Amino acid sequence: GLNVFTSMPGCAADDPVCVDISDNNFGYVIPAPDEEVMESIAIGNTSHTNMTTKLLAYSEGSVTAGWFDGANLVMKATFVQGSPYVYFEVYSGDAQLKSLRPSGGERGVWYQGGDSLGVWTDVAGIRNHFMVVGDAGTSYSDVDSEVVTIESPSNGFTLAWMPTVNSSVTEELRAIVKAQARNVVEQVTI
């Protein structure tokens, strides 16, 4: 699957919590690199647990990755440079939104309505807000658990990272993101 996270806000190159040099590599230090999910969320699949990822397509401002089980394409996602949206299509099984723990002090549901689900995480001092937006008829099961199943009749959904400056997402921002999230972008020409 896919682990989705952001770097800590306000990170500076000399901040050892944010960046480090290890084995001649310079970059963000993942708090628990062996965990599937630590400080954020991951997208997995109900029917496939051992997938490989391959590049399917790219443009000047986007990339599409595919997750395969053997030769079978299980799901794909398109990432657009500078966009808070990741556009998913699932071809086998159902997508899963995974977090470190069930709802409690490190994770919670901040919005649930219609075809959307908003989840926040706050682990290792890193707070994130995400919203999953599906097409009509999308449903979510076990929303307070660490594994939420996303059932979409169109087999598509959008994952949005919600920029926030405090512990809540405004109603206005939620409405804007929800209105734009299913305008799927596949290629960007600059």
Side-chain angles (χ1 to χ4, degrees):
L2 165 71
N3 189 340
V4 180
F5 65 93
T6 62
S7 61
M8 292 173 55
C11 284
D14 60 351
D15 186 346
V17 173
C18 297
V19 294
D20 195 9
I21 297 174
S22 175
D23 299 326
N24 292 324
N25 292 312
F26 178 79
Y28 172 69
V29 178
I30 299 171
D34 295 330
E35 298 292 329
E36 180 181 23
V37 180
M38 174 56 188
E39 73 278 20
S40 194
I41 62 167
I43 300 294
N45 190 284
T46 57
S47 300
H48 306 275
T49 58
N50 192 22
M51 297 179 284
T52 57
T53 310
K54 298 177 184 176
L55 177 66
L56 294 179
Y58 64 91
S59 68
E60 294 172 332
S62 67
V63 62
T64 299
W67 284 263
F68 289 81
D69 188 348
N72 298 320
L73 179 61
V74 173
M75 59 186 189
K76 73 177 184 178
T78 299
F79 305 83
V80 177
Q81 167 128 12
S83 172
Y85 303 112
V86 182
Y87 307 100
F88 285 88
E89 290 182 35
V90 181
Y91 303 108
S92 178
D94 289 316
Q96 296 174 313
L97 185 142
K98 299 181 177 184
S99 58
L100 181 63
R101 306 215 196 302
S103 287
E106 294 178 317
R107 180 231 191 251
V109 174
W110 59 267
Y111 177 77
Q112 184 176 5
D115 306 319
S116 303
L117 177 69
V119 174
W120 61 265
T121 61
D122 194 347
V123 179
I126 304 170
R127 187 168 184 99
N128 286 289
H129 290 85
F130 297 95
M131 188 160 76
V132 179
V133 180
D135 292 319
T138 300
S139 63
Y140 305 90
S141 57
D142 299 322
V143 298
D144 288 316
S145 74
E146 66 273 12
V147 179
V148 176
T149 301
I150 304 166
E151 298 174 20
S152 170
S154 69
N155 297 320
F157 67 93
T158 301
L159 176 66
W161 175 73
M162 307 293 285
T164 59
V165 293
N166 56 34
S167 63
S168 65
V169 174
T170 65
E171 180 70 22
E172 179 183 17
L173 179 59
R174 182 197 59 75
I176 291 168
V177 168
K178 187 173 179 181
Q180 297 296 319
R182 292 304 293 148
N183 294 333
V184 177
V185 175
E186 292 186 8
Q187 291 188 355
V188 175
T189 302
I190 299 173

